[in-house]
Amino acid sequence: MKTLALLIATGLVLAGCASTPDVSVDHDPAANFTMFKTYYWAKEPDSRNPLANQRLVAGIDQRLSAKGWTRASEGSADVAVVANVATSEKQTLDTMYTGMGGWGYGGWGYGAGMGSSTTRVNTYTVGTLVLDMFDAKTKKAVWRGTASGTVPDTPEKTEAAIKSALDKMFVNFPPGSGAQ
């Protein structure tokens, strides 16, 4: 189950109960993305699940390729790509109330109504993927994408969440491309 959590965190990330992952991107406005055409993986995602790692790398490679970028060797690439994955356990409390509470007329006098409550603790895993890109020559950060969401409970939902997170992350990539 932990490996599934790491998969989603990387993928990025993430949907649960029909929710979509939260995705944000940022970039250096001084970076000239028209000069970047090649990239290499300086650090691939590192989850305990090798299949998750492969899916994340393939998904990111696919989206960069669709934007006209080509994977290259470290010494000849324009951009270094770094992926980090993290998971954390979160909890919510759900309280259900039954019966009546408050004051009411009871025959010849007033009395308090009786009610009860039950509280249930729900524990869930949140996965986060942070994808950074650095100018390979200057070593300065040029782009960052993050995706975070509840880790789904099935491999199919996890894969869909990863796809959704990556699609959102790369919709307007590279910055200034005007893609919608």
Side-chain angles (χ1 to χ4, degrees), residues 19 48 56 58 60 67 80 90 99-100 104 110 127-128 130 134 163:
S19 67
R48 295 178 190 167
L56 287 169
I60 293 164
K67 302 296 183 170
K90 302 286 184 178
M100 291 179 43
Y110 286 96
T128 302
V130 178
F134 298 88
K163 181 183 181 318

Side-chain angles (χ1 to χ4, degrees), residues 47-169:
S47 72
R48 295 178 190 167
N49 183 338
L51 293 174
N53 296 336
Q54 291 170 17
R55 288 182 184 119
L56 287 169
V57 170
I60 293 164
D61 284 346
Q62 177 187 20
R63 283 155 182 85
L64 289 174
S65 177
K67 302 296 183 170
W69 287 32
T70 305
R71 191 169 174 171
S73 63
E74 180 177 342
S76 64
D78 302 319
V79 172
V81 176
V82 176
N84 288 291
V85 179
T87 59
S88 61
E89 297 294 317
K90 302 286 184 178
Q91 293 182 331
T92 60
L93 301 175
D94 292 330
T95 303
M96 302 295 286
Y97 297 96
T98 59
M100 291 179 43
W103 292 93
Y105 183 74
W108 50 274
Y110 286 96
M114 298 302 290
S116 66
S117 67
T118 303
T119 300
R120 189 175 81 199
V121 177
N122 294 311
T123 302
Y124 60 97
T125 302
V126 173
T128 302
L129 166 72
V130 178
L131 185 64
D132 289 308
M133 295 184 189
F134 298 88
D135 182 317
K137 291 177 183 67
T138 66
K139 309 293 188 224
K140 290 186 177 183
V142 294
W143 187 88
R144 169 172 272 198
T146 62
S148 183
T150 303
V151 177
D153 55 358
T154 68
E156 296 81 15
K157 289 180 183 176
T158 298
E159 189 146 356
I162 290 171
K163 181 183 181 318
S164 174
L166 290 177
D167 286 347
K168 285 181 174 183
M169 194 177 285

